[in-house]
Amino acid sequence: MTVRVITLALIAFALHFGWEMTQAKWFATMNELPFWTATAWCMRAALWDVAIAAAAYLAAAVAARNASWPRSPRALAIAVYFAVGLAITVATEHWALAAGRWRYEAAMPTVGGIGVTPLLQWIVVPAITLAAARLVMSLRRSRR
């Protein structure tokens, strides 16, 4: 189980870090920073993204009553997984924007004041991570 969790955390980190680096151009605050400082910010954001992903995964596990729910995911677990990630993202974005932690570029499309790229991040990256989780779990199971 520990190897599985570490593997999934590394996959989630890599995907979120890549996304953070790609979407940085949509954030005015990132464009004002030197490259390596912005990269460090993206790394820190990706670590927080992994924490959000873990919370979403655990909430789905509680809803499914099964820590290995991605092996054969049910609609409730999937809905909880995406809903928790999106809810935390929306709350974080609202807080960070209001507190002046970051600003969007004028060209950033928004929905309800939240940037589209952070919202898409919590649809696209978790979907890929879920597919990776299914693969990792099936590989570990077939080795037994």
Side-chain angles (χ1 to χ4, degrees):
M1 181 84 160
T2 303
V3 171
R4 212 180 316 167
V5 170
I6 292 169
T7 301
L8 293 173
L10 289 173
I11 290 168
F13 176 79
L15 293 169
H16 281 291
F17 180 70
W19 190 284
E20 293 290 349
M21 290 295 289
T22 302
Q23 78 173 350
K25 66 184 172 216
W26 294 94
F27 288 80
T29 43
M30 294 297 283
N31 291 326
E32 297 166 356
L33 298 174
F35 175 79
W36 290 112
T37 303
T39 301
W41 280 31
C42 287
M43 185 175 294
R44 185 178 69 194
L47 290 170
W48 280 108
D49 293 332
V50 171
I52 295 168
Y57 186 94
L58 289 173
V62 169
R65 295 185 180 137
N66 180 358
S68 298
W69 65 268
R71 251 189 224 152
S72 54
R74 302 278 192 269
L76 176 63
I78 293 170
V80 168
Y81 175 64
F82 284 100
V84 168
L86 281 167
I88 293 171
T89 297
V90 168
T92 301
E93 289 291 316
H94 272 298
W95 168 80
L97 291 166
R101 300 280 296 170
W102 57 74
R103 297 180 326 276
Y104 299 140
E105 284 289 347
M108 167 76 90
T110 60
V111 175
I114 302 297
V116 168
T117 63
L119 292 174
L120 285 175
Q121 179 178 0
W122 281 94
I123 296 168
V124 174
V125 174
I128 295 169
T129 304
L130 183 56
R134 290 186 70 175
L135 179 63
V136 166
M137 288 179 182
S138 69
L139 290 175
R140 294 281 300 166
R141 198 161 127 193
S142 66
R143 289 184 185 167
R144 290 182 187 169

